[in-house]
Amino acid sequence: MRLTSVLSVPFAMVGRRTLDIATEMGGMTLMAGAILRRLFPPRVDGAELMRNLYNVGVKSFPIILVTGVFVGAIMVIQAGLYVEKYEATGFIGWGAGFATLREVSPIMIALMFNGRVGAKNTAEIGTMKVTEQVDALRTLAIDPVSYLIMPRFIAMVVMMTLLVVVGDATALIGGAFTSQFLLGVDVQLFFRSFVDLIHLEDFLLGVYKAITFGIAVGVVSCHFGITVTGGAVGVGRAVNDSVVASAIWIFVLNYVVTTLII
Amino acid sequence: MSAHPPHKPNVLELFLAALGSPFVIVGEQFREIFKVFGLTVQYALHGRRRWKEVWLQAYRIGNESLVFIVCVAGSLGVTLVYQAGLQAERIIGDLTPLGGLYLQILLREFGPTITALMISTRVGTGIAAEIGSMVVTEQVDALQMSGAHPVEYLVVPRFWASVVMVFCLTCVSVLVSWLAGLLTALLAFGVSPYTFATLSFVIPGDVILLLMKTTAYGIAIPIVAGASGLSAHGGSEGVGWATTQSVVNCSLAVLFLDVLLSGFGYLVLLR
Amino acid sequence: MSAASKQVTHVEVPRDGVRIRCQGVSKYYRRTAVLDAVDLEVRDGTMLGLIGPGAAGKSLLVKIICGLVAPDEGHVFIDDIDVTRLRERELQALRMRLGMVFQNYALFDFMNVGENIALPLRMEGRSSETSIRNRVAEVLEQVALPGIQDKMPRELSGGMKKRVSFVRAVVRRPPIVIYDDPTGGLDPVTSAKIFRLLSDMKAQGTTSITISHDLDGIRPLCDQWLLIEHGKTLFSGDTSAIDQCETPYVRQFWRGEPA
């Protein structure tokens, strides 16, 4: 009896985890469905949308700038090691730019966006939920999805795309400066190799990724926000779950988009 | 303090206030983080040792993030090798150095940094949410009334646990990414595992840099997250604020340390 | 241990008998005073009733007294030691003689009841594990909650949580105890039980400050009263003085009359 109960522990754990994951996946699908239904025809509160575009986009701007500069610097340092080894300074702009535009910049910007916007979104919707503000909306015959979630979702998708473009640009500028001052490679040379060897599709791949990341962060953070229970502790836990789920989606979608488009 | 009539700011004052306020906020957060850092170091060296609690926290960090990190490292490995392989095929036409170079860049950059960013997301928010909820429910006050210092009691065990576990999880993450890369190279480009699995590019500097990075991240994450949690105030809004703050600050701290240490590695270690 | 912390651990009732004294304590939040030059004195073995409407600054004031929040102006003396000048280590030592029951219980939700109550004793570092366990069982028995050591706080009812929080505050037998709304949100029967505990503590000679909205409950217990509103002192004095006070707001508050 005892032995069997000990043996069943790992199975119980796996089972519970699977059920949890299935529940969350189902919740996210429902959320995506609810959002999709309200997109055709679009049912969005205009003023709310503008306010959210501002909150999501403009307020994340400084963090994205800092992240972009860091990413550019890191990539140039890493590329610099190889460039020096093979004495191919002419390729530094390509080496750093290629990886930045296609992979690193979208992922890093998305992770920061997830932390800044996704987490905040879950926290805000979650706080409204635990303080019964969402129920109050319902009793006023206002659809919480149209009023609360749609503007946030649209703002996140739009701004994620634009912020990745901004992040790409700052990463390149940061990279160019790093290569000038740390590696002693001229900025002109950096950008010449970049312009010669980078194609539009490298940049577009990053943008496509950004759109899917925006959708993922939007759906996930709204889902975890609207399903919060259990007061302040519950809000903290939901934010934690939300950023983790979004991060997994970001990496999985990164893989999917990369293989689909190439 | 009370007799002043309310002063209406003019446009210039509003502009200056808007310009200065980010610096004030950032400065305050820096001060808070360095205060917690100082206290953590002080209590970590001189305070009570609670190894059981450290062990528990280490278990929680590992248990919470292992599956997560395996997922992320796996998909990252596949994507990186796929992209790099395509480029190498197109430009050099030779895929033999792929495995060695991939392992090297994994050790230098993507292994420690991506893992640390994931731990910031998973563990950093967890710490901030936990400590933040304790602050807003007055549990931290109660702790102080019991005679325990919140930094000593809450942050220090997480600090030791994180220093060890960031390293361990980075090893796992590097291993998983490398295996995923190996499989991708084999299945997508037909690179034999014997060619892929080579240590010929790895130099001692790479390993030293990896150790330095994981230690720095391991120190930074619990301190930045703990500082965010301890500065929570208000109800559930405060907890949400602290958690958000924690992800952003931890990630920025990781990136900043990465720039610093990579630059150091470039100038000193990897010549 | 430094000379200062030795002074802090050495317990002696001051000669004038005033164990808690606040002088001109003020706290500002964005230029508005949340506490405006509050004075108070609590003598040895007496209880001060701290009353006032919601958000008047009562909880903040007791947190300042415990050294959990630093005031912007003024001083707090506990047994003639200036709390506002102590460093964290000395504050920890001083808090050994303070107990506090928090408004929202503030039970550690990651510990069971027994560990919650044992923590103050462990931090004191004077007792063995066995004597801690015995002491925990003993105090739980005193509040009629025997044998709940292994329960987690979330499994308890509001009244039980309040009693556990009370027990955790007094387990070290501190000479000074602060009760922040000890009966808030409780039914009358449970409230009566809590008030009996407060009166027992007073009979044993503890000095205390009680924040409460249940004036009928604390009227027989308190010797001194302090009524604050928006951080300003509206009344300070003993029970007979507040009975005779003619200020309209104080009268209204004290007798619970509608405006």
PDB file of all heavy atoms in Angstrom, chain B residues 11-41:
ATOM      1  N   VAL B  11       4.151  76.287 -17.915  1.00  0.00           N
ATOM      2  CA  VAL B  11       4.520  75.291 -18.916  1.00  0.00           C
ATOM      3  C   VAL B  11       5.981  74.861 -18.759  1.00  0.00           C
ATOM      4  O   VAL B  11       6.315  73.676 -18.818  1.00  0.00           O
ATOM      5  CB  VAL B  11       4.274  75.838 -20.336  1.00  0.00           C
ATOM      6  CG1 VAL B  11       4.694  74.814 -21.378  1.00  0.00           C
ATOM      7  CG2 VAL B  11       2.825  76.216 -20.521  1.00  0.00           C
ATOM      8  N   LEU B  12       6.853  75.849 -18.513  1.00  0.00           N
ATOM      9  CA  LEU B  12       8.271  75.539 -18.400  1.00  0.00           C
ATOM     10  C   LEU B  12       8.526  74.597 -17.227  1.00  0.00           C
ATOM     11  O   LEU B  12       9.253  73.607 -17.359  1.00  0.00           O
ATOM     12  CB  LEU B  12       9.074  76.839 -18.227  1.00  0.00           C
ATOM     13  CG  LEU B  12      10.581  76.630 -18.100  1.00  0.00           C
ATOM     14  CD1 LEU B  12      11.165  76.141 -19.411  1.00  0.00           C
ATOM     15  CD2 LEU B  12      11.273  77.919 -17.662  1.00  0.00           C
ATOM     16  N   GLU B  13       7.863  74.905 -16.103  1.00  0.00           N
ATOM     17  CA  GLU B  13       8.049  74.062 -14.924  1.00  0.00           C
ATOM     18  C   GLU B  13       7.545  72.650 -15.176  1.00  0.00           C
ATOM     19  O   GLU B  13       8.170  71.666 -14.796  1.00  0.00           O
ATOM     20  CB  GLU B  13       7.327  74.676 -13.729  1.00  0.00           C
ATOM     21  CG  GLU B  13       8.120  75.811 -13.107  1.00  0.00           C
ATOM     22  CD  GLU B  13       7.338  76.512 -12.021  1.00  0.00           C
ATOM     23  OE1 GLU B  13       6.101  76.376 -11.999  1.00  0.00           O
ATOM     24  OE2 GLU B  13       7.975  77.187 -11.215  1.00  0.00           O
ATOM     25  N   LEU B  14       6.394  72.565 -15.863  1.00  0.00           N
ATOM     26  CA  LEU B  14       5.850  71.242 -16.188  1.00  0.00           C
ATOM     27  C   LEU B  14       6.822  70.474 -17.065  1.00  0.00           C
ATOM     28  O   LEU B  14       7.066  69.281 -16.864  1.00  0.00           O
ATOM     29  CB  LEU B  14       4.518  71.388 -16.905  1.00  0.00           C
ATOM     30  CG  LEU B  14       3.292  71.643 -16.033  1.00  0.00           C
ATOM     31  CD1 LEU B  14       2.070  71.865 -16.903  1.00  0.00           C
ATOM     32  CD2 LEU B  14       3.064  70.455 -15.110  1.00  0.00           C
ATOM     33  N   PHE B  15       7.398  71.191 -18.045  1.00  0.00           N
ATOM     34  CA  PHE B  15       8.340  70.546 -18.959  1.00  0.00           C
ATOM     35  C   PHE B  15       9.558  70.036 -18.199  1.00  0.00           C
ATOM     36  O   PHE B  15       9.982  68.887 -18.358  1.00  0.00           O
ATOM     37  CB  PHE B  15       8.772  71.548 -20.028  1.00  0.00           C
ATOM     38  CG  PHE B  15       9.837  71.032 -20.946  1.00  0.00           C
ATOM     39  CD1 PHE B  15       9.551  70.046 -21.872  1.00  0.00           C
ATOM     40  CD2 PHE B  15      11.132  71.521 -20.866  1.00  0.00           C
ATOM     41  CE1 PHE B  15      10.529  69.561 -22.705  1.00  0.00           C
ATOM     42  CE2 PHE B  15      12.121  71.025 -21.701  1.00  0.00           C
ATOM     43  CZ  PHE B  15      11.829  70.046 -22.619  1.00  0.00           C
ATOM     44  N   LEU B  16      10.104  70.903 -17.338  1.00  0.00           N
ATOM     45  CA  LEU B  16      11.288  70.504 -16.570  1.00  0.00           C
ATOM     46  C   LEU B  16      10.967  69.331 -15.650  1.00  0.00           C
ATOM     47  O   LEU B  16      11.769  68.401 -15.501  1.00  0.00           O
ATOM     48  CB  LEU B  16      11.816  71.687 -15.762  1.00  0.00           C
ATOM     49  CG  LEU B  16      12.508  72.776 -16.586  1.00  0.00           C
ATOM     50  CD1 LEU B  16      12.910  73.926 -15.699  1.00  0.00           C
ATOM     51  CD2 LEU B  16      13.723  72.219 -17.314  1.00  0.00           C
ATOM     52  N   ALA B  17       9.771  69.362 -15.057  1.00  0.00           N
ATOM     53  CA  ALA B  17       9.379  68.272 -14.163  1.00  0.00           C
ATOM     54  C   ALA B  17       9.282  66.960 -14.927  1.00  0.00           C
ATOM     55  O   ALA B  17       9.749  65.914 -14.492  1.00  0.00           O
ATOM     56  CB  ALA B  17       8.052  68.596 -13.499  1.00  0.00           C
ATOM     57  N   ALA B  18       8.685  67.042 -16.144  1.00  0.00           N
ATOM     58  CA  ALA B  18       8.549  65.837 -16.962  1.00  0.00           C
ATOM     59  C   ALA B  18       9.914  65.316 -17.383  1.00  0.00           C
ATOM     60  O   ALA B  18      10.156  64.117 -17.446  1.00  0.00           O
ATOM     61  CB  ALA B  18       7.711  66.144 -18.207  1.00  0.00           C
ATOM     62  N   LEU B  19      10.833  66.267 -17.636  1.00  0.00           N
ATOM     63  CA  LEU B  19      12.185  65.872 -18.055  1.00  0.00           C
ATOM     64  C   LEU B  19      12.940  65.220 -16.904  1.00  0.00           C
ATOM     65  O   LEU B  19      13.677  64.249 -17.085  1.00  0.00           O
ATOM     66  CB  LEU B  19      12.935  67.126 -18.518  1.00  0.00           C
ATOM     67  CG  LEU B  19      14.070  66.932 -19.520  1.00  0.00           C
ATOM     68  CD1 LEU B  19      13.524  66.378 -20.809  1.00  0.00           C
ATOM     69  CD2 LEU B  19      14.759  68.267 -19.768  1.00  0.00           C
ATOM     70  N   GLY B  20      12.742  65.762 -15.699  1.00  0.00           N
ATOM     71  CA  GLY B  20      13.538  65.297 -14.567  1.00  0.00           C
ATOM     72  C   GLY B  20      12.992  64.068 -13.879  1.00  0.00           C
ATOM     73  O   GLY B  20      13.757  63.269 -13.339  1.00  0.00           O
ATOM     74  N   SER B  21      11.658  63.879 -13.949  1.00  0.00           N
ATOM     75  CA  SER B  21      11.066  62.825 -13.125  1.00  0.00           C
ATOM     76  C   SER B  21      11.596  61.422 -13.433  1.00  0.00           C
ATOM     77  O   SER B  21      11.798  60.645 -12.499  1.00  0.00           O
ATOM     78  CB  SER B  21       9.542  62.876 -13.204  1.00  0.00           C
ATOM     79  OG  SER B  21       9.114  62.512 -14.490  1.00  0.00           O
ATOM     80  N   PRO B  22      11.859  61.062 -14.732  1.00  0.00           N
ATOM     81  CA  PRO B  22      12.427  59.736 -14.949  1.00  0.00           C
ATOM     82  C   PRO B  22      13.745  59.534 -14.214  1.00  0.00           C
ATOM     83  O   PRO B  22      13.996  58.467 -13.643  1.00  0.00           O
ATOM     84  CB  PRO B  22      12.655  59.680 -16.462  1.00  0.00           C
ATOM     85  CG  PRO B  22      11.795  60.722 -17.033  1.00  0.00           C
ATOM     86  CD  PRO B  22      11.600  61.754 -16.001  1.00  0.00           C
ATOM     87  N   PHE B  23      14.564  60.605 -14.180  1.00  0.00           N
ATOM     88  CA  PHE B  23      15.851  60.469 -13.504  1.00  0.00           C
ATOM     89  C   PHE B  23      15.661  60.279 -12.002  1.00  0.00           C
ATOM     90  O   PHE B  23      16.367  59.501 -11.373  1.00  0.00           O
ATOM     91  CB  PHE B  23      16.723  61.705 -13.768  1.00  0.00           C
ATOM     92  CG  PHE B  23      17.176  61.784 -15.184  1.00  0.00           C
ATOM     93  CD1 PHE B  23      16.497  62.542 -16.103  1.00  0.00           C
ATOM     94  CD2 PHE B  23      18.292  61.056 -15.600  1.00  0.00           C
ATOM     95  CE1 PHE B  23      16.902  62.594 -17.422  1.00  0.00           C
ATOM     96  CE2 PHE B  23      18.701  61.102 -16.916  1.00  0.00           C
ATOM     97  CZ  PHE B  23      18.012  61.870 -17.834  1.00  0.00           C
ATOM     98  N   VAL B  24      14.675  61.006 -11.455  1.00  0.00           N
ATOM     99  CA  VAL B  24      14.399  60.863 -10.026  1.00  0.00           C
ATOM    100  C   VAL B  24      13.966  59.435  -9.725  1.00  0.00           C
ATOM    101  O   VAL B  24      14.456  58.788  -8.788  1.00  0.00           O
ATOM    102  CB  VAL B  24      13.326  61.870  -9.572  1.00  0.00           C
ATOM    103  CG1 VAL B  24      12.962  61.643  -8.121  1.00  0.00           C
ATOM    104  CG2 VAL B  24      13.818  63.288  -9.784  1.00  0.00           C
ATOM    105  N   ILE B  25      13.051  58.907 -10.575  1.00  0.00           N
ATOM    106  CA  ILE B  25      12.534  57.555 -10.341  1.00  0.00           C
ATOM    107  C   ILE B  25      13.658  56.538 -10.463  1.00  0.00           C
ATOM    108  O   ILE B  25      13.849  55.679  -9.597  1.00  0.00           O
ATOM    109  CB  ILE B  25      11.396  57.236 -11.332  1.00  0.00           C
ATOM    110  CG1 ILE B  25      10.207  58.169 -11.065  1.00  0.00           C
ATOM    111  CG2 ILE B  25      10.967  55.794 -11.218  1.00  0.00           C
ATOM    112  CD1 ILE B  25       9.143  58.129 -12.114  1.00  0.00           C
ATOM    113  N   VAL B  26      14.446  56.661 -11.562  1.00  0.00           N
ATOM    114  CA  VAL B  26      15.543  55.716 -11.769  1.00  0.00           C
ATOM    115  C   VAL B  26      16.544  55.817 -10.621  1.00  0.00           C
ATOM    116  O   VAL B  26      17.017  54.805 -10.087  1.00  0.00           O
ATOM    117  CB  VAL B  26      16.227  55.987 -13.128  1.00  0.00           C
ATOM    118  CG1 VAL B  26      17.522  55.196 -13.253  1.00  0.00           C
ATOM    119  CG2 VAL B  26      15.302  55.616 -14.263  1.00  0.00           C
ATOM    120  N   GLY B  27      16.833  57.061 -10.204  1.00  0.00           N
ATOM    121  CA  GLY B  27      17.772  57.245  -9.104  1.00  0.00           C
ATOM    122  C   GLY B  27      17.283  56.593  -7.827  1.00  0.00           C
ATOM    123  O   GLY B  27      18.041  55.920  -7.130  1.00  0.00           O
ATOM    124  N   GLU B  28      15.978  56.740  -7.550  1.00  0.00           N
ATOM    125  CA  GLU B  28      15.424  56.128  -6.339  1.00  0.00           C
ATOM    126  C   GLU B  28      15.553  54.617  -6.384  1.00  0.00           C
ATOM    127  O   GLU B  28      15.911  53.976  -5.398  1.00  0.00           O
ATOM    128  CB  GLU B  28      13.943  56.494  -6.210  1.00  0.00           C
ATOM    129  CG  GLU B  28      13.701  57.660  -5.278  1.00  0.00           C
ATOM    130  CD  GLU B  28      12.260  58.122  -5.331  1.00  0.00           C
ATOM    131  OE1 GLU B  28      11.385  57.337  -5.737  1.00  0.00           O
ATOM    132  OE2 GLU B  28      12.028  59.286  -4.984  1.00  0.00           O
ATOM    133  N   GLN B  29      15.275  54.051  -7.589  1.00  0.00           N
ATOM    134  CA  GLN B  29      15.355  52.589  -7.689  1.00  0.00           C
ATOM    135  C   GLN B  29      16.790  52.115  -7.522  1.00  0.00           C
ATOM    136  O   GLN B  29      17.037  51.098  -6.879  1.00  0.00           O
ATOM    137  CB  GLN B  29      14.773  52.127  -9.017  1.00  0.00           C
ATOM    138  CG  GLN B  29      13.277  52.301  -9.026  1.00  0.00           C
ATOM    139  CD  GLN B  29      12.631  51.743 -10.252  1.00  0.00           C
ATOM    140  OE1 GLN B  29      13.307  51.226 -11.126  1.00  0.00           O
ATOM    141  NE2 GLN B  29      11.333  51.838 -10.322  1.00  0.00           N
ATOM    142  N   PHE B  30      17.733  52.876  -8.106  1.00  0.00           N
ATOM    143  CA  PHE B  30      19.131  52.515  -7.934  1.00  0.00           C
ATOM    144  C   PHE B  30      19.513  52.516  -6.462  1.00  0.00           C
ATOM    145  O   PHE B  30      20.183  51.616  -5.973  1.00  0.00           O
ATOM    146  CB  PHE B  30      20.023  53.515  -8.692  1.00  0.00           C
ATOM    147  CG  PHE B  30      20.472  52.991 -10.016  1.00  0.00           C
ATOM    148  CD1 PHE B  30      19.799  53.342 -11.167  1.00  0.00           C
ATOM    149  CD2 PHE B  30      21.558  52.142 -10.092  1.00  0.00           C
ATOM    150  CE1 PHE B  30      20.199  52.845 -12.389  1.00  0.00           C
ATOM    151  CE2 PHE B  30      21.959  51.647 -11.315  1.00  0.00           C
ATOM    152  CZ  PHE B  30      21.284  52.003 -12.471  1.00  0.00           C
ATOM    153  N   ARG B  31      19.044  53.568  -5.752  1.00  0.00           N
ATOM    154  CA  ARG B  31      19.391  53.676  -4.342  1.00  0.00           C
ATOM    155  C   ARG B  31      18.830  52.484  -3.565  1.00  0.00           C
ATOM    156  O   ARG B  31      19.508  51.890  -2.741  1.00  0.00           O
ATOM    157  CB  ARG B  31      18.832  54.980  -3.778  1.00  0.00           C
ATOM    158  CG  ARG B  31      19.744  55.594  -2.735  1.00  0.00           C
ATOM    159  CD  ARG B  31      19.160  56.852  -2.193  1.00  0.00           C
ATOM    160  NE  ARG B  31      17.778  56.664  -1.790  1.00  0.00           N
ATOM    161  CZ  ARG B  31      16.946  57.670  -1.531  1.00  0.00           C
ATOM    162  NH1 ARG B  31      17.346  58.898  -1.640  1.00  0.00           N
ATOM    163  NH2 ARG B  31      15.707  57.423  -1.159  1.00  0.00           N
ATOM    164  N   GLU B  32      17.573  52.141  -3.879  1.00  0.00           N
ATOM    165  CA  GLU B  32      16.933  51.020  -3.187  1.00  0.00           C
ATOM    166  C   GLU B  32      17.705  49.721  -3.450  1.00  0.00           C
ATOM    167  O   GLU B  32      17.991  48.960  -2.537  1.00  0.00           O
ATOM    168  CB  GLU B  32      15.484  50.914  -3.692  1.00  0.00           C
ATOM    169  CG  GLU B  32      14.633  49.896  -2.986  1.00  0.00           C
ATOM    170  CD  GLU B  32      14.354  50.290  -1.556  1.00  0.00           C
ATOM    171  OE1 GLU B  32      14.437  51.502  -1.224  1.00  0.00           O
ATOM    172  OE2 GLU B  32      14.081  49.400  -0.750  1.00  0.00           O
ATOM    173  N   ILE B  33      18.074  49.506  -4.741  1.00  0.00           N
ATOM    174  CA  ILE B  33      18.769  48.276  -5.101  1.00  0.00           C
ATOM    175  C   ILE B  33      20.116  48.205  -4.389  1.00  0.00           C
ATOM    176  O   ILE B  33      20.485  47.165  -3.828  1.00  0.00           O
ATOM    177  CB  ILE B  33      18.944  48.184  -6.636  1.00  0.00           C
ATOM    178  CG1 ILE B  33      17.598  47.897  -7.290  1.00  0.00           C
ATOM    179  CG2 ILE B  33      19.943  47.096  -7.003  1.00  0.00           C
ATOM    180  CD1 ILE B  33      17.594  48.036  -8.786  1.00  0.00           C
ATOM    181  N   PHE B  34      20.848  49.329  -4.360  1.00  0.00           N
ATOM    182  CA  PHE B  34      22.162  49.270  -3.721  1.00  0.00           C
ATOM    183  C   PHE B  34      22.049  49.147  -2.209  1.00  0.00           C
ATOM    184  O   PHE B  34      22.907  48.536  -1.574  1.00  0.00           O
ATOM    185  CB  PHE B  34      23.009  50.485  -4.124  1.00  0.00           C
ATOM    186  CG  PHE B  34      23.637  50.286  -5.465  1.00  0.00           C
ATOM    187  CD1 PHE B  34      23.143  50.917  -6.583  1.00  0.00           C
ATOM    188  CD2 PHE B  34      24.701  49.408  -5.611  1.00  0.00           C
ATOM    189  CE1 PHE B  34      23.696  50.694  -7.832  1.00  0.00           C
ATOM    190  CE2 PHE B  34      25.269  49.190  -6.847  1.00  0.00           C
ATOM    191  CZ  PHE B  34      24.763  49.829  -7.957  1.00  0.00           C
ATOM    192  N   LYS B  35      20.950  49.688  -1.645  1.00  0.00           N
ATOM    193  CA  LYS B  35      20.739  49.511  -0.208  1.00  0.00           C
ATOM    194  C   LYS B  35      20.543  48.022   0.105  1.00  0.00           C
ATOM    195  O   LYS B  35      21.182  47.469   1.006  1.00  0.00           O
ATOM    196  CB  LYS B  35      19.506  50.315   0.232  1.00  0.00           C
ATOM    197  CG  LYS B  35      19.501  50.671   1.693  1.00  0.00           C
ATOM    198  CD  LYS B  35      18.268  51.489   2.039  1.00  0.00           C
ATOM    199  CE  LYS B  35      17.246  50.632   2.723  1.00  0.00           C
ATOM    200  NZ  LYS B  35      15.926  51.245   2.826  1.00  0.00           N
ATOM    201  N   VAL B  36      19.662  47.383  -0.673  1.00  0.00           N
ATOM    202  CA  VAL B  36      19.419  45.950  -0.453  1.00  0.00           C
ATOM    203  C   VAL B  36      20.693  45.155  -0.716  1.00  0.00           C
ATOM    204  O   VAL B  36      21.003  44.208   0.012  1.00  0.00           O
ATOM    205  CB  VAL B  36      18.258  45.464  -1.342  1.00  0.00           C
ATOM    206  CG1 VAL B  36      18.071  43.962  -1.227  1.00  0.00           C
ATOM    207  CG2 VAL B  36      16.974  46.163  -0.959  1.00  0.00           C
ATOM    208  N   PHE B  37      21.448  45.571  -1.730  1.00  0.00           N
ATOM    209  CA  PHE B  37      22.700  44.880  -2.044  1.00  0.00           C
ATOM    210  C   PHE B  37      23.653  44.928  -0.844  1.00  0.00           C
ATOM    211  O   PHE B  37      24.184  43.902  -0.409  1.00  0.00           O
ATOM    212  CB  PHE B  37      23.347  45.530  -3.273  1.00  0.00           C
ATOM    213  CG  PHE B  37      24.662  44.924  -3.666  1.00  0.00           C
ATOM    214  CD1 PHE B  37      24.747  43.601  -4.034  1.00  0.00           C
ATOM    215  CD2 PHE B  37      25.818  45.684  -3.653  1.00  0.00           C
ATOM    216  CE1 PHE B  37      25.964  43.040  -4.399  1.00  0.00           C
ATOM    217  CE2 PHE B  37      27.030  45.135  -4.010  1.00  0.00           C
ATOM    218  CZ  PHE B  37      27.104  43.808  -4.379  1.00  0.00           C
ATOM    219  N   GLY B  38      23.817  46.146  -0.302  1.00  0.00           N
ATOM    220  CA  GLY B  38      24.708  46.296   0.855  1.00  0.00           C
ATOM    221  C   GLY B  38      24.259  45.447   2.024  1.00  0.00           C
ATOM    222  O   GLY B  38      25.052  44.714   2.623  1.00  0.00           O
ATOM    223  N   LEU B  39      22.955  45.510   2.325  1.00  0.00           N
ATOM    224  CA  LEU B  39      22.434  44.737   3.456  1.00  0.00           C
ATOM    225  C   LEU B  39      22.596  43.247   3.217  1.00  0.00           C
ATOM    226  O   LEU B  39      22.949  42.488   4.131  1.00  0.00           O
ATOM    227  CB  LEU B  39      20.955  45.067   3.669  1.00  0.00           C
ATOM    228  CG  LEU B  39      20.664  46.403   4.344  1.00  0.00           C
ATOM    229  CD1 LEU B  39      19.187  46.735   4.231  1.00  0.00           C
ATOM    230  CD2 LEU B  39      21.087  46.368   5.804  1.00  0.00           C
ATOM    231  N   THR B  40      22.345  42.815   1.966  1.00  0.00           N
ATOM    232  CA  THR B  40      22.448  41.387   1.668  1.00  0.00           C
ATOM    233  C   THR B  40      23.871  40.896   1.886  1.00  0.00           C
ATOM    234  O   THR B  40      24.090  39.860   2.512  1.00  0.00           O
ATOM    235  CB  THR B  40      22.019  41.111   0.212  1.00  0.00           C
ATOM    236  OG1 THR B  40      20.765  41.698   0.000  1.00  0.00           O
ATOM    237  CG2 THR B  40      21.950  39.629  -0.059  1.00  0.00           C
ATOM    238  N   VAL B  41      24.832  41.660   1.372  1.00  0.00           N
ATOM    239  CA  VAL B  41      26.224  41.245   1.545  1.00  0.00           C
ATOM    240  C   VAL B  41      26.572  41.195   3.037  1.00  0.00           C
ATOM    241  O   VAL B  41      27.148  40.218   3.532  1.00  0.00           O
ATOM    242  CB  VAL B  41      27.163  42.219   0.793  1.00  0.00           C
ATOM    243  CG1 VAL B  41      28.605  41.948   1.152  1.00  0.00           C
ATOM    244  CG2 VAL B  41      26.963  42.085  -0.698  1.00  0.00           C
TER     245      VAL B  41
END
